[in-house]
Amino acid sequence: MKKVKIYQNDWLMFHPYPKPTSVDGYYVKLANKVLDVFKSAEFGFDLPEEDVKEIACAITAYFEDVISGIGMFKAFTRKHRELYGTPLPFYTVDENEYYEDEINEVDVRFLLWHYTQQTHGRYNHSVLNPDNPGINIVALAVLMLFEKEYESAPENEQFKAYYLPEYRYNEYYGLRYAMQWLQWNSYLFYHQNRDLREKEEAIEKDLTNENANAEIYDLQDSFVHNHPSPLLAIYTNEWLSEILTPAHPDYELVKSIGRKKKGVYLCTGEEQNNFCFRNLETQEEIVATKDSIAENAPLKANQTLADTGFIRFNNEWWMTGSMATFPYSEEVEQEFSKSNDIPDVIYQNILKKSENKHIHFFGNKSELHQFFYKVLETENHPENKAFDNVRNLLVFITPHGISIYPDICDYIKDEQNPYYDEKMAKAEAFSLYANMYDHPVELVYTLHNQYLLPDAQLKSLVGEERGKELIQGNAGFIMRYFYGEKYREALEKGTIQ
């Protein structure tokens, strides 16, 4: 670790321009001073050298952001305040001593938690305590270093210029590139690039896949449009608009971009400036500008199916990502038109037979089978050998189906639940909030809002109440952070609020 050093190229990875400006040399030196603090620090856990370098660059980029008035971190605190009433999660912030336009110790503490959660926490499938003493000590040392530099640190005018009103975002491909940089390389969100690389590598491993390059390109495009950040589960265009603020002429344009609608579409016609499509699954009709479609695209009305995606930009539909075409057939259309949801009349009947309860508790598979016979009036029941040796089973009923989850009844304090175990709940219930075992966010949201997870907590040196406060008092932030895309999808479906 002693020989690790930050070079100019390491620093420029966190910037939207390829060549150094007159101030980048200063910040490279400062990043190395931060790195020296990290080298002598005791976080209480080990981090790979490359992660330590990146965190040193990222926390220095926060300082540069504040000094230059770029507004990235200010956008986060403003949005968190809008959602939860305070500028930051986890920590008590004295509003009389917190200045959004200046550096704050609590900002550094939070960012160090975020960076170490995205590295050490992710590698070890764990949740780091935001009160980690090592993080607090390092944050104070970094803040003292920044305070010494605060008055003399230069502004990065070139960086700031990307978010001034004079810099426009009214051209789709330029805007998409700006969003891509923000998501993959900015100091707040650069860890999302790792999520993307994991998915890319899974495609690359299939050596028989002749369409790997097209799939990766489409994945990258979908990632930019449809993958929200861990911070507040906000999409990239929403973050960019927050940074721009309403004072920017393209604020509403950037903010209004919808999600990419990926699917299989039938080309239904051609107009002078557009192609017309219909989604086989949702039946949604889209009229897309020809400016977004290759001139020689093999599209024929009612004959061509296109596996592609569309984005709504500036009141027009734009085809975005890759497009694969194949002949239309009624068989393909029928396959895509099938719905996995329970018809409403059946759903309401199931609820009625289950006493209008969405959540049910069972001690074994035999009890579960009896329940299914009662509500479905059939002896056909789910056979899963994984349920043979479990402590208990939870059934969750929604319009989208009936789901079964083993060994979580222990965490749920409900008078109808005989399997509640206070000791286990105190030790493990936090895992539901942190999406450790891929439970639906709707289930956790319901359990939390009905106060059925009162023992969920992190281990705290301060005491049990502080451990509960970290989870219970920040449940919304934590669920957004760990459920991400699932959280946003549930919000947009209306299954949570």
Side-chain angles (χ1 to χ4, degrees):
M1 178 72 81
K2 290 183 178 180
K3 295 181 180 180
V4 177
K5 187 176 180 179
I6 293 168
Y7 296 94
Q8 189 167 264
N9 286 342
D10 300 319
W11 174 249
L12 288 178
M13 288 293 293
F14 291 85
H15 294 75
Y17 47 79
K19 295 182 180 180
T21 68
S22 59
V23 304
D24 283 312
Y26 165 85
Y27 284 104
V28 171
K29 291 179 182 178
L30 181 58
N32 275 299
K33 291 179 182 179
V34 173
L35 182 61
D36 288 339
V37 171
F38 289 173
K39 288 177 182 177
S40 59
E42 292 291 340
F43 282 107
F45 49 81
D46 294 326
L47 285 172
E49 291 181 356
E50 194 60 33
D51 286 336
V52 175
K53 282 177 59 176
E54 287 183 345
I55 294 173
C57 285
I59 206 73
T60 306
Y62 152 78
F63 180 70
E64 177 191 41
D65 174 15
V66 175
I67 292 295
S68 306
I70 296 167
M72 287 190 184
F73 196 73
K74 193 174 180 179
F76 168 71
T77 57
R78 185 170 57 245
K79 193 64 181 178
H80 190 277
R81 188 188 297 276
E82 177 186 318
L83 289 169
Y84 302 115
T86 62
L88 293 166
F90 305 131
Y91 309 111
T92 300
V93 177
D94 185 341
E95 296 285 2
N96 294 320
E97 297 182 4
Y98 184 84
Y99 303 98
E100 289 186 340
D101 294 316
E102 299 181 12
I103 55 172
N104 297 279
E105 180 187 354
V106 70
D107 296 347
V108 179
R109 287 171 65 188
F110 171 73
L111 284 171
L112 285 176
W113 172 83
H114 170 52
Y115 297 144
T116 51
Q117 178 60 48
Q118 289 294 313
T119 49
H120 179 80
R122 178 172 177 166
Y123 303 152
N124 292 277
H125 200 56
S126 63
V127 179
L128 294 179
N129 193 314
D131 290 340
N132 179 296
I135 289 177
N136 294 343
I137 293 169
V138 174
L140 183 58
V142 170
L143 183 74
M144 292 174 64
L145 174 61
F146 286 167
E147 286 179 338
K148 290 179 182 178
E149 300 286 334
Y150 188 79
E151 297 299 331
S152 60
E155 294 185 21
N156 190 331
E157 298 288 354
Q158 183 170 329
F159 199 164
K160 183 178 181 179
Y162 283 86
Y163 304 104
L164 294 177
E166 295 77 19
Y167 194 94
R168 301 303 300 272
Y169 291 92
N170 55 357
E171 189 273 320
Y172 174 66
Y173 295 108
L175 171 58
R176 188 177 67 176
Y177 178 79
M179 291 165 55
Q180 177 179 301
W181 177 85
L182 184 64
Q183 186 187 59
W184 298 0
N185 295 98
S186 70
Y187 77 89
L188 276 180
F189 311 121
Y190 72 95
H191 292 100
Q192 291 183 84
N193 206 351
R194 298 185 181 189
D195 296 335
L196 177 62
R197 279 302 304 152
E198 288 179 3
K199 295 176 185 293
E200 289 175 343
E201 288 168 1
I203 296 173
E204 292 168 348
K205 284 180 181 178
D206 183 1
L207 300 179
T208 64
N209 187 351
E210 297 179 354
N211 299 314
N213 289 338
E215 287 185 21
I216 289 173
Y217 173 73
D218 195 69
L219 169 67
Q220 292 172 344
D221 182 75
S222 297
F223 206 81
V224 169
H225 289 298
N226 291 2
H227 190 78
S229 73
L231 297 178
L232 302 179
I234 289 177
Y235 293 111
T236 310
N237 71 295
E238 295 169 336
W239 275 125
L240 180 55
S241 67
E242 283 292 326
I243 296 167
L244 295 178
T245 78
H248 195 285
D250 296 323
Y251 169 80
E252 290 293 344
L253 174 64
V254 174
K255 185 179 180 180
S256 65
I257 296 173
R259 307 282 62 80
K260 178 179 176 180
K261 293 179 179 289
K262 176 71 175 172
V264 174
Y265 293 82
L266 172 65
C267 176
T268 56
E270 180 178 1
E271 301 172 352
Q272 182 177 353
N273 299 314
N274 307 293
F275 276 105
C276 305
F277 299 88
R278 174 171 57 82
N279 187 297
L280 294 191
E281 183 176 359
T282 66
Q283 302 304 309
E284 179 179 14
E285 295 184 353
I286 284 177
V287 178
T289 174
K290 286 184 177 179
D291 290 341
S292 65
I293 301 171
E295 289 185 13
N296 59 349
L299 296 170
K300 294 183 179 181
N302 300 312
Q303 298 181 44
T304 306
L305 292 174
D307 185 352
T308 189
F310 297 93
I311 198 79
R312 189 73 173 168
F313 171 73
N314 202 14
N315 297 316
E316 290 184 310
W317 284 106
W318 285 64
M319 184 180 287
T320 188
S322 65
M323 177 178 70
T325 59
F326 46 99
Y328 169 80
S329 71
E330 291 185 0
E331 291 79 7
V332 173
E333 173 142 22
Q334 290 173 2
E335 184 64 28
F336 276 93
S337 63
K338 294 177 181 177
S339 172
N340 293 321
D341 289 356
I342 304 174
D344 188 63
V345 63
I346 298 178
Y347 169 65
Q348 295 300 332
N349 189 41
I350 290 173
L351 273 184
K352 183 178 180 180
K353 291 182 178 179
S354 55
E355 301 174 353
N356 289 316
K357 295 178 182 177
H358 293 269
I359 297 173
H360 299 265
F361 310 97
F362 304 100
N364 53 54
K365 196 159 68 173
S366 176
E367 292 179 9
L368 180 68
H369 291 169
Q370 292 175 29
F371 172 78
F372 276 107
Y373 180 75
K374 172 185 174 182
V375 300
L376 299 179
E377 297 181 350
T378 177
E379 293 188 3
N380 294 324
H381 43 66
E383 282 294 345
N384 191 327
K385 292 189 178 298
F387 296 159
D388 288 347
N389 300 299
V390 297
R391 297 188 303 275
N392 47 66
L393 294 157
L394 180 144
V395 167
F396 186 45
I397 303 172
T398 75
H400 305 295
I402 300 176
S403 305
I404 309 166
Y405 302 98
D407 296 337
I408 63 171
C409 299
D410 312 81
Y411 313 147
I412 301 168
K413 190 174 184 179
D414 186 311
E415 60 183 14
Q416 303 297 319
N417 177 22
Y419 313 106
Y420 165 67
D421 184 315
E422 182 179 2
K423 184 177 180 181
M424 289 191 69
K426 288 180 177 180
E428 300 176 17
F430 75 90
S431 64
L432 294 179
Y433 291 89
N435 192 24
M436 286 189 171
Y437 304 107
D438 202 29
H439 296 106
V441 67
E442 292 90 345
L443 172 61
V444 183
Y445 183 89
T446 300
L447 293 172
H448 175 78
N449 284 336
Q450 292 182 8
Y451 306 102
L452 300 180
L453 297 171
D455 300 302
Q457 60 188 275
L458 293 177
K459 291 182 180 178
S460 172
L461 295 176
V462 178
E464 186 175 297
E465 288 307 309
R466 173 57 178 163
K468 288 183 179 180
E469 180 188 349
L470 286 168
I471 296 292
Q472 308 290 341
N474 300 280
F477 173 83
I478 292 171
M479 284 190 282
R480 283 175 178 263
Y481 192 92
F482 289 102
Y483 281 89
E485 192 170 347
K486 293 179 181 179
Y487 192 98
R488 282 305 297 265
E489 288 177 352
L491 273 179
E492 287 157 15
K493 289 178 182 176
T495 52
I496 64 173
Q497 297 178 347

